[in-house]
Amino acid sequence: MTTTGLDLLAEGGTITLTDGTEVPLRYSFRALALLEARFGSVAAVQTAIDTTGDRPTFGPIHQLVGAGTVGPGGFEPLVREHQDAQGNRRVTEINYRRRKDGADLADLLHPGRLGEYVEAFNAAFTRALESQGNDGAGAAPTETVSPGLSASTSPSESFTSPLTSTGG
């Protein structure tokens, strides 16, 4: 049987932070949803890295790497949104804090390792979007509209929290 979809366990790259910690990048649905919320679509994510020097580079790479570090034992996204007078919301900033000590990912990235970060992102992101059962051929991403995230500047509940039933 052939299945097409995202490989939620796809690790394709590892980066080393300035404190010596090695962090694998993994682009789960949650990570992809964060990137969509920040950049607008998966296609926009793929063009976020500017190689011309005409547009910002460090901010987008921080976002791309940060989303790949989200998950149990990794980093937690802290999302900041802006709502205009018409009620339209857009994500204006996402900061990533390490769960174990609260360290900010931006403080743990080194500008001199930019190439390492881009290479690791490309490997992990490509692997996450591969079409399963199709001899590794990449699935063409489609532009999608993200339903957005709730306004929050605090970490979400721990994955170890017990789930409660709402009935039904």
Side-chain angles (χ1 to χ4, degrees):
M1 179 162 112
T2 302
T3 338
T4 301
L6 298 174
D7 181 357
L8 295 181
L9 302 177
E11 291 180 13
T14 300
I15 62 168
T16 303
L17 304 177
T18 57
D19 66 357
T21 305
E22 287 191 358
V23 179
L25 300 182
R26 185 176 65 89
Y27 292 91
S28 64
F29 267 90
R30 182 178 184 197
L32 294 172
L34 285 166
L35 290 174
E36 278 186 333
R38 185 66 181 101
F39 293 103
S41 70
V42 172
V45 169
Q46 293 177 312
T47 60
I49 299 175
D50 179 34
T51 57
T52 65
D54 294 332
R55 295 188 327 248
T57 300
F58 293 101
I61 289 175
H62 169 248
Q63 296 298 304
L64 299 174
V65 169
T69 65
V70 170
F75 286 74
E76 181 69 24
L78 304 174
V79 178
R80 184 170 294 162
E81 290 184 310
H82 172 76
Q83 183 172 345
D84 64 20
Q86 289 78 31
N88 300 315
R89 292 180 153 189
R90 68 180 177 85
V91 172
T92 57
E93 181 180 25
I94 304 175
N95 291 310
Y96 297 91
R97 296 271 181 191
R98 189 164 41 196
R99 288 176 184 257
K100 70 177 183 180
D101 61 7
D104 190 316
L105 177 64
D107 294 334
L108 297 169
L109 297 175
H110 190 282
R113 294 184 180 157
L114 198 60
E116 173 192 341
Y117 304 149
V118 171
E119 187 177 311
F121 161 75
N122 281 332
F125 194 73
T126 299
R127 179 139 184 228
L129 293 178
E130 283 178 348
S131 175
Q132 297 175 0
N134 197 15
D135 295 330
T142 57
E143 190 164 326
T144 58
V145 177
S146 173
L149 301 171
S150 61
S152 171
T153 56
S154 59
S156 63
E157 278 190 53
S158 168
F159 288 111
T160 58
S161 298
L163 298 176
T164 57
S165 174
T166 57

